[in-house]
Amino acid sequence: MKYFIANWKANKNLDEANQWADTFIKQPSITEKALVVVAPPFPLIFPVKTKLAQQPAIRLSAQDISLYDNGSYTGEVTAGSLKGLVDYVIIGHNERKQYFNENSDLLFKKTGQAIKNGLRPIFCVRNEQDAIPPGVDIVAYEPVAAVGTGDNESVENVLKMKTKLKLPAGCIFIYGGSVDENNVTAYLRSDQIDGLLVGKASLDPDGFYRIIKQALL
Ligand code: PGA
C-alpha cells in the first residue's frame, strides 16, 4: 500500500476546492493499494472533507499547526481545533522553514501538539541534519532542490538518503519533490519508498488521480 499525499500549499479558493473534490470523487474507487491524503489550506479542509466523505479511503491533513494549546492565541490554528477534521498534519515542510523560520525546537513542540491531540504527523526533513522528534512514524524526505523546481530527485539518491536519516523502526518513508505522472512509476517500483508527497501535480484532480492510478494497476 502506498501513500499519496496531496499538498495544495497556499492554493485554491472555496469554488476551486469544491470543483477539485467534485472531479476527484468521480474517479473510480481507490483500492487498498493506495491511501490518499488531501491537505488543503485550513479554511478549505471542511468543505473538501464533506465532499470526499463518500470515499472513506481518502483522508484529510492539515499543512501545519500551532505550537500552542487552545487558548488566547488570536489567529492560530491549534491541533485541538483540528480534531475530528483531519487525521494527519504535515509538520516542518521546508517552505515553513524557509519563509517562517521554523526551527527544530518549534517543530518538536508542534509534533508534540499533534500527537497529544491524536493527529498523525507527517514530518518533513531536508536531509540527515534535520532531527526527527519522538513519536513520529511518517517521515517525508523533501530535498530542497527538488521541491517545486521540476527537478525531482532520483530514486537512487532518495534511497541513499534513507540510509542516512535516523528513521525510527517501522517508520513510513515518503518522498516529495516534483513528483508527477511521468516520473512517479520509478518511486512506486521501490519497496523502500512507502509513498509520495505531491505538491504542484496534485492541484489538478485528474492529474493527481493519474499519479495514484499507477499504484492501482
Ligand atoms: P512539488 O511539492 O511536488 O510541487 O515539488 C512537493 C512538496 O512540497 O511536498
Side-chain angles (χ1 to χ4, degrees):
M1 199 266 294
K2 302 279 188 185
Y3 279 75
F4 294 89
I5 305 162
N7 178 12
W8 289 7
K9 310 191 180 184
N11 289 296
K12 299 195 187 294
N13 59 26
L14 181 60
D15 277 352
E16 291 160 347
N18 279 331
Q19 274 170 32
W20 189 100
D22 283 338
T23 307
F24 192 72
I25 204 77
K26 288 198 195 107
Q27 304 290 352
S29 343
I30 312 282
T31 66
E32 66 287 348
K33 288 186 183 168
L35 198 156
V36 177
V37 180
V38 184
F42 289 129
L44 306 177
I45 290 174
F46 185 67
V48 170
K49 183 183 170 73
T50 308
K51 293 234 176 226
L52 297 181
Q54 317 149 39
Q55 273 253 31
I58 306 175
R59 303 284 151 76
L60 274 290
S61 175
Q63 299 174 15
D64 182 35
I65 45 163
S66 174
L67 77 154
Y68 294 111
D69 284 317
N70 283 355
S72 303
Y73 304 103
T74 302
E76 283 293 88
V77 177
T78 63
S81 72
L82 288 164
K83 245 186 190 173
L85 279 173
V86 300
D87 292 314
Y88 298 87
V89 55
I90 298 169
I91 294 184
H93 191 280
N94 80 282
E95 287 152 12
R96 303 282 327 159
K97 291 173 182 134
Q98 185 181 348
Y99 300 116
F100 305 96
N101 298 318
E102 295 202 348
N103 60 29
S104 186
D105 179 47
L106 177 83
L107 299 179
F108 272 56
K109 288 182 179 144
K110 288 188 169 190
T111 302
Q113 281 292 345
I115 292 170
K116 188 167 95 177
N117 286 283
L119 310 182
R120 200 163 170 199
I122 299 166
F123 192 82
C124 300
V125 297
R126 298 164 295 186
N127 51 47
E128 72 275 28
Q129 317 284 325
D130 286 337
I132 300 169
V136 165
D137 70 349
I138 306 179
V139 166
Y141 168 47
E142 300 230 318
V144 174
V147 173
T149 58
D151 194 11
N152 62 301
E153 189 67 275
S154 69
V155 174
E156 195 190 355
N157 285 346
V158 171
L159 296 182
K160 256 188 218 157
M161 180 53 74
K162 188 182 179 188
T163 64
K164 293 190 197 165
L165 298 171
K166 291 178 189 66
L167 297 177
C171 184
I172 290 164
F173 178 69
I174 308 281
Y175 167 71
S178 299
V179 173
D180 62 27
E181 57 191 274
N182 301 313
N183 60 34
V184 67
T185 329
Y187 302 103
L188 293 175
R189 269 199 213 116
S190 168
D191 59 5
Q192 298 288 307
I193 300 174
D194 301 307
L196 299 157
L197 211 161
V198 186
K200 195 160 175 243
S202 74
L203 293 174
D204 167 43
D206 295 318
F208 184 52
Y209 184 76
R210 284 196 293 274
I211 290 176
I212 299 164
K213 204 169 98 183
Q214 303 193 41
L216 306 178
L217 301 174

